[in-house]
Amino acid sequence: MMDEQPKSTVQEDIERLFLLPEGQRVLSCIQCGTCAGTCPHGEYMEYTPRKIIAMLRAGQIDEVINSKSMLKCLSCYACQLKCPRGIKLTDVLLPIIKGKVFESIVEMPPDLQRSFENTLRYGNPMGESPKKRAEWTKNSKVPVRILKENPAPVDVLWIVECYPSYHPRGIDVTLATARTFHRLGIDFAILGEEERCIGDCAGYFGEFGLQEALIEYSLNIFRKYKFNRIVTSGSHAFNTFQRWYPRYDFNIPVHHAMPFIATYIDRLKPFLKKPLNYTVTYHDPCCLGRCVGVSLPECFYHQPRILLSSIPGIKVVEMVHHRENSICCGGGGGGMWLDTYFKAEGMERLSERVVKEAVAAGADVLAVSCDYEISRFEDAVKVLGLEEKIKVKDIMELIDESAGGDETL
Amino acid sequence: MKILVLIKMVLDTVEEIKIDPSGKKVDTDAARFILNDVDNHAVEEAILLKEKYGGHVTVLAVDAPEIDDALFTAAAKGADRIIKVTTGMEQMSTQTMAKLLHSAIQNMNTQFDLILTGVQASDDIDGEIGPSLAAQFNLPYIGMAVKVLPDPQGRSTEVVTELGGGLYASYRSSLPVIVGISAAEKPPRYVPIMKVRMAMKSKKIETIPAPAPPPGSKIDVLKLYKPVVTGGAAMITGTPEQIADNLVKIFRDRGLS
């Protein structure tokens, strides 16, 4: 049916890759297995990154494509960060393999299929009405400007993203973020119903067409308005802005909301009056840690800790796995919609592993800054029956709580 | 084997449905349209049959908002021809649509072996398009089908249907036959967006005008309306704890605990 373009086989793609410096680096693999050992799903993969490279060298790529091992890759960048040869596994090699796995997959895990279909049609994976994307603003006591209604130039275009716009707990974080922006006197506005998923998981799962459609849509909307910079509540959106958007001649400065707020720490401190007597442990999300660290000089490891220690009463403790060793919550690279599939495969849920570590660290609050994590970790807390022991809160909620929430506005 | 699939767009209930000021139809400006779910299954069944037995799949629809996306997606999945019949009408009864499709199909001068359609549409839920069309063509019709198994010579087909109470029934019919699909053998597949975009570039939607203005419906819509809201429900408000206390009190008062 689609015969007019010659279909490149994965073998051809790989051979082409091996001619490039990045591919030659793949060939230099010493088969140490660090990638497989550090991969949070490595023990469940028939073909780990190490084995994939061995198979590629042996020309046995079809077995890899057919094995579905790469459905289990969460694009968490653990393997890429640890590789002693500096092979760009998450950025270069695995996407090629994942793209082919995706093309040849006969039956998609249904939850993931629905999330992709929803994202294409409604601009969010849950299949909510795009017209209701700014419904949360009705519960905001601080003014939130929507550019479609008032298109005057603005300093910060706030890309709220999907879970923070629709998920009930995500909305709590979004309202807290709006209050913090307001307290800091930031001139901000949102796109409201014109905003769509910025596109991250589609690309990391190998659904490059969906990724491209989402990026083209967003770029067209951005052209309608005047703003100086983008701040997003989505850590995955932030990652996508850093990695994918520049390929489309996009050069607007983009910040994630958490490190962005940290730059205002001196202005913020006077608001942080109410002591919060919590023992907090922070989960470093992949998208503000390892993913950033391989392309920017610094990961966002110190900003969250500075913010937390600025809140009176809070004691910060660390989990065994933190900073660059942080364990992915299991939501990246499409994992957000693969929980049922992973469970059917008999795999441990990573969000549960993190919650157990947080409790073991003596924390009664698990602090997060990734838009997927509130729902994932709260779910894990309930599954583990640990509601009495630990609460999950976004750093934005803790800041807002110490500043007095709605009452001090 | 030549397979024809008839599809229809229905209101997308993710968006709020508003009634037109006339009070007789839906406000289509505020609405979005989506492929009727079981029609998506009919497309899937046709593609599965083509993959198993070979053949040629044509997907035909009466023009409607967002129909192009549905047709290009069908092409990306493997449909060979995609066609829409333009009518200039915003809505029509199932009987009018059956008459219109009947003459459009006759004008195509193609002998189809199988005509598949979703067994019913989620808007009117009357499930009449297949039977009405079968009456016009004087062809057999089998509804609620979950499996179509043509014989290797292509002279007849077995059709498995799912009945109420967990029963299956198996029929044999001569060809051509019209089949109302309630579920494809496998869930409708995902088609990568890249393939849909390629189909948009490489495939053309054939447009055929409605053969003749179909006769007006003999049935008039008197009123279209949403269920009347009555005061039967009491809303419990407050903090989660207050709500829980209230619920417990209600259960106790009514002797439920």
Side-chain angles (χ1 to χ4, degrees):
Chain A
M1 25 154 189
M2 236 66 63
D3 293 330
E4 41 285 284
Q5 287 194 3
K7 205 177 175 189
S8 93
T9 66
V10 66
Q11 198 66 47
E12 284 167 357
D13 284 356
I14 296 292
E15 277 164 20
R16 214 172 298 139
L17 173 68
F18 285 164
L19 296 174
L20 303 169
E22 215 37 74
Q24 284 162 13
R25 214 194 280 251
V26 174
L27 289 173
S28 77
C29 168
I30 52 171
Q31 291 286 295
C32 66
T34 305
C35 48
T38 196
C39 174
H41 278 167
E43 61 193 290
Y44 305 107
M45 284 179 183
E46 190 184 356
Y47 296 110
T48 59
R50 178 193 70 77
K51 275 194 192 168
I52 288 176
I53 293 176
M55 301 288 279
L56 288 182
R57 284 168 166 171
Q60 295 175 349
I61 190 64
D62 288 343
E63 288 89 334
V64 176
I65 305 293
N66 294 332
S67 84
K68 290 190 186 169
S69 288
M70 276 299 109
L71 288 185
K72 294 166 186 166
C73 169
L74 304 164
S75 306
C76 74
Y77 283 83
C79 56
Q80 177 162 323
L81 190 83
K82 300 280 169 67
C83 176
R85 282 294 204 198
I87 298 172
K88 291 200 170 162
L89 286 157
T90 323
D91 274 333
V92 178
L93 181 64
L94 300 181
I96 295 179
I97 309 291
K98 287 168 97 167
K100 294 294 167 189
V101 171
F102 174 70
E103 268 175 36
S104 61
I105 196 166
V106 181
E107 261 179 76
M108 281 259 280
D111 294 349
L112 186 69
Q113 174 166 344
R114 211 169 304 122
S115 87
F116 283 170
E117 287 167 349
N118 285 339
T119 305
L120 178 72
R121 184 169 174 82
Y122 306 109
N124 67 81
M126 5 354 207
E128 293 284 344
S129 162
K131 288 182 187 150
K132 294 182 178 160
R133 200 162 175 114
E135 286 271 295
W136 64 268
T137 56
K138 290 181 183 161
N139 292 320
S140 174
K141 282 196 185 166
V142 300
V144 179
R145 174 147 75 98
I146 299 174
L147 285 179
K148 198 179 175 186
E149 293 159 10
N150 178 359
V154 69
D155 178 20
V156 167
L157 172 63
W158 178 18
I159 298 293
V160 183
E161 264 292 14
C162 305
Y163 282 84
S165 294
Y166 293 107
H167 190 279
R169 285 288 289 117
I171 289 173
D172 290 344
V173 179
T174 302
L175 290 168
T177 307
R179 289 192 284 270
T180 304
F181 285 169
H182 178 79
R183 284 186 186 105
L184 294 173
I186 291 162
D187 173 31
F188 69 96
I190 64 169
L191 289 171
E193 63 180 65
E194 287 183 302
E195 185 187 297
R196 297 278 186 280
C197 170
I198 290 303
D200 163 272
C201 291
Y204 278 115
F205 193 79
E207 189 11 329
F208 302 118
L210 175 57
Q211 172 95 337
E212 191 171 81
L214 293 169
I215 293 174
E216 283 173 4
Y217 171 87
S218 288
L219 290 177
N220 276 330
I221 296 292
F222 295 162
R223 282 187 201 109
K224 284 173 66 177
Y225 302 110
K226 283 203 169 67
F227 52 90
N228 299 326
R229 45 195 177 156
I230 288 175
V231 172
T232 179
S233 295
S235 66
H236 288 264
F238 174 73
N239 187 33
T240 312
F241 276 127
Q242 299 294 333
R243 286 177 185 277
W244 297 78
Y245 278 65
R247 300 172 203 183
Y248 297 80
D249 196 23
F250 168 88
N251 48 20
I252 300 161
V254 180
H255 310 271
H256 181 266
M258 185 274 294
F260 174 74
I261 290 297
T263 62
Y264 288 83
I265 189 76
D266 293 334
R267 228 196 277 178
L268 183 67
K269 269 182 185 167
F271 290 101
L272 306 177
K273 285 182 190 145
K274 188 179 157 193
L276 304 180
N277 294 317
Y278 304 140
T279 305
V280 178
T281 190
Y282 174 68
H283 176 257
D284 292 283
C286 316
C287 289
L288 299 179
R290 287 182 297 264
C291 307
V292 186
V294 288
S295 61
L296 288 184
E298 223 176 352
C299 303
F300 299 117
Y301 292 135
H302 63 281
Q303 290 90 337
R305 289 167 176 88
I306 288 171
L307 285 168
L308 287 172
S309 52
S310 303
I311 300 172
I314 279 187
K315 184 185 162 206
V316 180
V317 293
E318 295 290 359
M319 285 183 270
V320 174
H321 293 89
H322 62 279
R323 298 173 70 99
E324 62 267 38
N325 291 321
S326 171
I327 300 167
C328 173
C329 73
M336 194 72 180
W337 305 279
L338 287 169
D339 282 311
T340 311
Y341 172 75
F342 292 157
K343 185 155 179 116
E345 294 275 304
M347 294 159 67
E348 184 194 12
R349 224 173 145 200
L350 294 179
S351 42
E352 291 175 22
R353 203 170 140 191
V354 174
V355 166
K356 281 188 223 164
E357 256 195 28
V359 171
D364 51 26
V365 169
L366 172 57
V368 300
S369 58
C370 164
D371 45 332
Y372 288 179
E373 290 177 358
I374 285 262
S375 61
R376 294 193 69 75
F377 289 145
E378 283 196 347
D379 199 25
V381 168
K382 286 175 201 158
V383 169
L384 295 168
L386 293 170
E387 294 106 309
E388 298 298 317
K389 289 218 155 167
I390 195 156
K391 299 269 180 290
V392 184
K393 289 174 193 260
D394 194 283
I395 288 187
M396 289 298 172
E397 289 182 289
L398 292 167
I399 288 171
D400 179 61
E401 195 178 336
S402 179
D406 251 348
E407 286 152 27
T408 53
L409 287 168
Chain B
M1 184 160 34
K2 283 194 160 54
I3 307 172
L4 175 68
V5 188
L6 304 173
I7 63 170
K8 172 178 148 179
M9 301 302 276
V10 292
L11 278 176
D12 185 344
T13 51
V14 163
E15 302 294 358
E16 194 189 338
I17 294 170
K18 290 183 182 147
I19 312 279
D20 181 86
S22 71
K24 293 192 175 189
K25 60 187 182 97
V26 168
D27 177 0
T28 45
D29 290 340
R32 281 192 76 185
F33 290 82
I34 190 166
L35 177 59
N36 179 38
D37 188 47
V38 278
D39 291 352
N40 196 17
H41 280 260
V43 171
E44 183 62 34
E45 189 67 18
I47 304 293
L48 288 171
L49 287 170
K50 180 185 161 181
E51 286 169 352
K52 267 192 234 165
Y53 306 102
H56 188 277
V57 174
T58 302
V59 178
L60 177 80
V62 172
D63 197 10
E66 301 184 55
I67 186 70
D68 290 8
D69 287 345
L71 288 171
F72 282 127
T73 305
K77 288 179 180 179
D80 303 277
R81 275 182 87 185
I82 43 176
I83 307 172
K84 64 179 175 187
V85 184
T86 52
T87 65
M89 291 166 75
E90 212 172 85
Q91 58 181 17
M92 64 185 77
S93 71
T94 307
Q95 278 64 37
T96 306
M97 189 180 271
K99 281 179 192 150
L100 210 146
L101 288 171
H102 174 247
S103 44
I105 296 164
Q106 273 189 327
N107 287 353
M108 285 166 71
N109 289 322
T110 306
Q111 183 63 47
F112 291 105
D113 303 298
L114 261 176
I115 299 180
L116 305 184
T117 182
V119 71
Q120 60 180 198
S122 63
D123 49 6
D124 54 28
I125 327 180
D126 70 0
E128 284 291 314
I129 196 78
S132 302
L133 209 54
Q136 309 237 9
F137 276 115
N138 198 22
L139 285 177
Y141 170 80
I142 302 173
M144 298 303 288
V146 292
K147 207 182 269 189
V148 180
L149 301 156
D151 76 26
Q153 286 78 38
R155 284 193 213 102
S156 70
T157 185
E158 187 186 336
V159 177
V160 179
T161 68
E162 191 173 356
L163 309 174
L167 282 179
Y168 287 94
S170 178
Y171 305 89
R172 181 160 294 282
S173 166
S174 58
L175 295 176
V177 58
I178 300 180
V179 179
I181 300 285
S182 61
E185 234 177 291
K186 284 183 187 170
R189 69 193 65 194
Y190 184 78
V191 58
I193 308 308
M194 205 76 92
K195 281 193 180 171
V196 180
R197 288 181 150 203
M198 277 164 71
M200 284 175 173
K201 283 182 192 151
S202 62
K203 282 269 174 188
K204 244 190 126 56
I205 297 176
E206 297 169 47
T207 306
I208 45 179
S217 175
K218 290 174 183 160
I219 303 168
D220 289 329
V221 178
L222 291 181
K223 187 181 167 195
L224 189 70
Y225 57 103
K226 291 189 175 181
V228 181
V229 180
T230 60
M235 298 306 289
I236 305 171
T237 53
T239 65
E241 287 75 19
Q242 289 166 338
I243 293 170
D245 287 346
N246 248 315
L247 277 174
V248 171
K249 187 172 178 301
I250 292 168
F251 291 150
R252 286 227 174 95
D253 290 352
R254 299 188 183 189
L256 296 169
S257 66

